[in-house]
Structures are given as structure tokens and as C-alpha cells.
Amino acid sequence: MDFLVSRSGPQLDTVIERYDTSYRVGEFWLGHVSSGNLEVLEDTPDTQTVAAGSLYGPLSDLTDLRGRSKEDLGARALESDGSFALAHLQGSTITVVTDAGGSIPVYYGDGPRGLALGTVVHHVAACSGLTSLDEVSVVDYLLNANVCYPYSWYEKVRLAPPGSVCSFDVSDEKTTYTYWEPTEPDDVCDPCDVRKWGERLRKQISSAVEQSIQDKKNGKLLYSGGSDSRAILSVVPRSFDCTPTTILDRKNREYKLAKRSANLLGRRLDWIRRPENFYRSGVSDRIDTIGPGRDFQHTHVFGSVASQLERTDVILGGYFSDTILKTLYMSNVERRPYKPEQLSEPMPDTIKERNFMEDISDIFIDRLVEKVQTRREKHHAYLKEIRPFTAGNWHNLWPASGGLEFGSYMATTRLETEIIEPFVFSQTYKLAAMMPDTARIDSRGFRQAFSEKMGSAGFWPTSSGRIPRFGGKLGHEVMRQIKRWRTLKERLGIEAGYQGSWSPDRLRSAPVRPEDHFDGASCNLLYDRLQGILSGVGPRQFFEMSGHRQAQVRSLSLGFSVS
């Protein structure tokens, strides 16, 4: 998927080896990875255009792009779909177009080695000579599991804005035209016609799937058997050879439920066995794959698992639905055990924390924590301008790459085979931004969109105990009874061992030791970097403290160096 543009060209073999195709265009070197997730749109001696991700619609038609203004390019991007970032090189100018949500991150920096930009943050840092770590970003990442937009892991490397057309040239000029932002609809808190929103969502996801499988012979679907993967499978035409594929340690309850629901949708489930200690292996390679500053624990499709998926034309997934179309990131929701969710008054300044986040700000240097807060407050102040009632719910969703589990998406897009995530598509993101919160509660809009398409598969429980076609009091009562039955089976020994999707070998399930993952030089680098941000505790003591397991895992990123 990746592309890299550099005035000086890469200086490190580790960077050069990542790009199997390179050109000289005017004053710039362009490298890109040949894969199903990158398309060369234009290839002439004086012009190069590449699109990372997937791109459909007017923006992909180069006969209509040459000589266009940023406003014209933005208008075409607004009508295009996919999950994309486009880079156009001509003479001394680079033009970058990002999709509505910024789902394919593009970083840029102009340092002692000149201007560089691309999709891999540490390669941009190396080519521009801007490799100094941003300690504020590091603390932000350890506290919040991501880095606040527009900053990055490196001091002077920044993230290009979503929904924008940016031009860079050798004279260090950068101009930006923003063609779309997720402005808040006036009726965001009002009762809505759920049927209408369901129809719009189903039409959009069906369109995304149809575009992605056009001219393809076969495909796979990353299939957990949950509501989201069932929704995607339900709109894949029966005539298309699509194999739902689940990745698990063993054939547990999750596997059996996925197999049964796939059968009810007329498909046969394939199983990829996850290697032992999968999540504890290859930490440095995982960080290299998705870039430091993202939660590498969520690289589910990686290594030998990834290689088993690539023997197909296209891979579909169901990522991002929970975050952008349901209530996972919403603070103004009253959640009660086994009762339907209820929408409460708007809470624009409350950002929902995930259940694994830890309040550990007291162990970092005060001035760094204060700067983290200042950055977050500035980002939030702007969100409140465009989303006055729902800024808190969108704090980690704009750009889309701010999602805490975005590392999962970044890992899959780096497969050689084309990966399609319809819920991340630009038009899906725009639709979600306009959807009233009353359609998100209890997954009402989502259920309206896909319940009928799921057919009898919608009545089969998921691993969480939900029945995808049931909501309200009935759905939650059914889920309560399913969980009671499962608890009884566990006590009777009918079901024993781990029954969920995650394997029990997660890094945070055991003491975190840098020496298990890095050589001596990298461990020393990690400890030195930690020393510069900790207050009152030493680096080695930090790894012995209890209640800090998530931050300890994330801090392993400090042992990674592009050089």
C-alpha cells in the first residue's frame, strides 16, 4: 500500500528495501510497494500519480484530472469512494488528496535532508532527517494509546489533514484546501426515521462491496461471526466465490458460532489456526509494519497468518462499524446490564475511555503531561466548532486513524492482496457523520440495514450472546439468558478453556520484559528514552509496577529505531 516521496531519496537500506519500485520525477524520488492496495494511475517521464488503498469514482479518472485546481480535485474526491490517499508528482510540486476520514494516513516533514512525505511515518522521518522523538507524543501514546492529530511520533513530522487537497513544493510552500469536514447535522439528537437511515447504510455498504469485487474471481472475508462480518457477508452476491475465514487458536465456541452463521448464509467457513504465542512474537516487526505511535497489539493479520490470506483476489473485512455507526465511542449513552441503551443529554467535553485505559499521568514529567492536555484541548476545541454537541464522541474518530484499534486496519492494508473495509470507505464515513445519534443507539440503524439480508443467520447468537436481529428489551433479555446458559456450561465443565476471539497470550497477560523482544542495544535505547519522560520512578522500576500493564506494553515502541 505504501508510497514515499523524498527530495533526497532514502539513505537507509532498511527503507530502500521496503519499496520495490522507484522513479525520479523532477526533483523528487518516488518509491512505492506493488500490491493490491496501491494503484499506479499515471506513469510518464515527467508525471507520476499513485493511489494507496482503494479508489473508485471521478478521482481515479486521470483524463479528467490534469491541470485541475485543488478545488476541482476536492470536488472529485467528494464524489469518489474507497479508502484512499492519492499522491500526484509533477515538476517541483507534490499534490496529496486524502479521503473524507483520512483513513490512509499521509505524513510529511521538511528537514535537513529536504522534503519527504509518505504513508510510513518512520520512513518520512528518516528521509527528511527529522528522527528526533517527540516526547509529548510519546507520553500521549502511553496515556491514550494514540497520538493526537496532527502530531506524530517525531518532533517535526505531521499528519496531512483528512478530507483535503495539499500541495507541497521544493520552496517549502504548503497550501491546503479542505473539501469536507464531519460537520454536525442539526438533528443529531432528534428522533429519526431509522428505516430511512438503514436503507441508506445498506445501499452504501452494498455499493462498496460491489465495486470491490468487480472483475474479481474469488475472495475471502475476515469473519468472526459477529454482527459486522455477517452484515458484510449478507450483501456479497451469492454468485461471487467468497470464503468466510476466521483466525483462532482452536475450534472453540467462537469458531462453532461463526461456522454455523456462515452456513446459514450459504457459505463454508475456513479456519486459519493462529500460531502459539502469536501476540508475543515479532514486536519490532509489528511496530515497523504499522509505524510507532500506534497500538501494535492490534496487528491481528500479521506474519504467517497474513501469508495464508494472500492467495486470493480480494479480502473483505468488517472493521470500524462499532466505532462509527454504533455507540462504542459515545459518552452520552446510558448502558445498563441486559437493558437497551438509552441516549442521555449531550456531553461534548466527555471523551469515552476504553475499559483498558489507565490513569498513569502521575508517573510522567508534569510539563509533558500538560503539553499532552494542551494538544488534546486544542484538537477538541476545533471539533466543538464543527460538532458542538458530539465533539466528545468524535475526538478519536477525526481523523479516522485516531481510532485506538487502527493498527489492525493498517496491518491488513499492507497485505499484497487488495483489502476492502467497506465501513471505512469515504462515503460510509460521510454518511456516519450525518447520522443522528438516535439511529446509533442499540444499533438501531445497523440492524435496520442488515437484519433482513442476514435472514436466518441473524437469529443465531454471536460470541457476545447477542442476536443480531433482536434489539430492545427482547434482545437484551435473550442475551441475558444465553449468558446464563453459558455460565452454567462452564461450571459443569461442558465448555472449558478460552472461548473468545483473542488468544490468552496477549502481551498484557504476563509481566512485560523488554529483553524478551529486543537485543541489548534496543533495550538500552528503550530505557534511555523512558528515563527522559518518567518522573519519580526509574525505567526498570516502571516495568515492575502493577496496574500499568497497558502502558508497559505500549512503551515497547520506544525500543524501535528506523536506523
Side-chain angles (χ1 to χ4, degrees), residues 455-490:
S456 56
F459 294 110
W460 194 253
T462 67
S463 59
S464 67
R466 292 184 181 276
I467 304 295
R469 295 191 67 167
F470 288 168
K473 294 181 179 178
L474 173 62
H476 286 77
E477 177 59 25
V478 170
M479 182 170 66
R480 186 173 76 89
Q481 295 300 332
I482 289 173
K483 288 196 172 184
R484 287 182 64 184
W485 170 237
R486 289 178 178 175
T487 300
L488 178 61
K489 287 199 293 183
E490 289 171 3

Side-chain angles (χ1 to χ4, degrees), residues 205-511:
I205 299 303
S206 297
S207 172
V209 170
E210 288 169 7
Q211 290 180 97
S212 67
I213 65 175
Q214 190 174 12
D215 302 325
K216 305 288 196 310
K217 293 182 179 179
N218 56 64
K220 291 182 181 290
L221 168 65
L222 299 174
Y223 193 78
S224 67
S227 297
D228 303 333
S229 55
R230 289 188 207 185
I232 298 297
L233 191 57
S234 73
V235 298
V236 176
R238 289 293 183 95
S239 58
F240 182 67
D241 180 11
C242 182
T243 304
T245 305
T246 189
I247 304 165
L248 288 166
D249 306 83
R250 61 193 181 95
K251 293 183 176 180
N252 58 6
R253 180 204 300 148
E254 174 105 354
Y255 169 81
K256 295 172 183 176
L257 293 171
K259 181 179 180 180
R260 179 59 176 163
S261 63
N263 288 343
L264 291 171
L265 285 164
R267 309 282 180 166
R268 182 176 180 179
L269 184 70
D270 187 26
W271 172 47
I272 292 178
R273 185 164 191 165
R274 193 157 45 201
E276 188 177 354
N277 289 324
F278 175 75
Y279 288 107
R280 296 178 187 172
S281 64
V283 167
S284 182
D285 288 340
R286 291 170 187 268
I287 297 168
D288 185 32
T289 298
I290 66 174
R294 299 202 183 279
D295 195 344
F296 58 85
Q297 297 174 87
H298 291 276
T299 46
H300 306 307
V301 178
F302 178 77
S304 61
V305 167
S307 64
Q308 294 182 68
L309 282 166
E310 291 181 332
R311 294 185 293 273
T312 188
D313 291 342
V314 63
I315 298 171
L316 302 171
Y319 170 70
F320 214 53
S321 170
D322 284 342
T323 53
I324 206 163
L325 296 168
K326 303 177 189 175
T327 60
L328 187 64
Y329 277 16
M330 290 178 61
S331 299
N332 57 321
V333 175
E334 183 182 351
R335 294 176 173 85
R336 301 167 297 172
Y338 306 114
K339 292 183 180 180
E341 299 171 331
Q342 289 188 344
L343 192 64
S344 59
E345 291 298 313
M347 302 171 68
D349 290 318
T350 301
I351 303 164
K352 185 185 173 210
E353 295 182 350
R354 300 299 305 279
N355 57 8
F356 59 75
M357 305 304 288
E358 302 148 333
D359 184 10
I360 56 171
S361 58
D362 59 322
I363 68 171
F364 298 112
I365 295 173
D366 288 344
R367 64 175 175 81
L368 296 178
V369 175
E370 290 170 3
K371 288 182 178 180
V372 168
Q373 293 170 341
T374 299
R375 287 182 180 181
R376 292 273 169 182
E377 288 167 2
K378 183 178 180 180
H379 175 60
H380 203 76
Y382 183 73
L383 278 169
K384 286 185 70 173
E385 292 180 12
I386 61 174
R387 300 196 72 91
F389 291 110
T390 57
N393 301 344
W394 281 76
H395 184 92
N396 289 320
L397 290 178
W398 190 83
S401 56
L404 304 186
E405 303 90 351
F406 204 76
S408 169
Y409 175 65
M410 295 307 297
T412 53
T413 55
R414 272 145 189 161
L415 293 172
E416 292 183 8
T417 302
E418 184 176 5
I419 178 75
I420 298 294
E421 294 280 8
F423 294 120
V424 190
F425 269 32
S426 193
Q427 297 297 336
T428 310
Y429 191 93
K430 288 169 57 183
L431 178 66
M434 296 300 294
M435 180 183 286
D437 284 350
T438 46
R440 289 186 170 84
I441 289 293
D442 200 25
S443 303
R444 293 173 65 208
F446 186 90
R447 284 188 287 108
Q448 185 66 49
F450 302 109
S451 287
E452 185 176 342
K453 296 289 291 184
M454 287 186 194
S456 56
F459 294 110
W460 194 253
T462 67
S463 59
S464 67
R466 292 184 181 276
I467 304 295
R469 295 191 67 167
F470 288 168
K473 294 181 179 178
L474 173 62
H476 286 77
E477 177 59 25
V478 170
M479 182 170 66
R480 186 173 76 89
Q481 295 300 332
I482 289 173
K483 288 196 172 184
R484 287 182 64 184
W485 170 237
R486 289 178 178 175
T487 300
L488 178 61
K489 287 199 293 183
E490 289 171 3
R491 289 176 178 174
L492 294 175
I494 299 173
E495 279 189 345
Y498 198 75
Q499 299 295 324
S501 56
W502 277 90
S503 65
D505 65 356
R506 283 187 280 184
L507 276 166
R508 69 174 187 262
S509 64

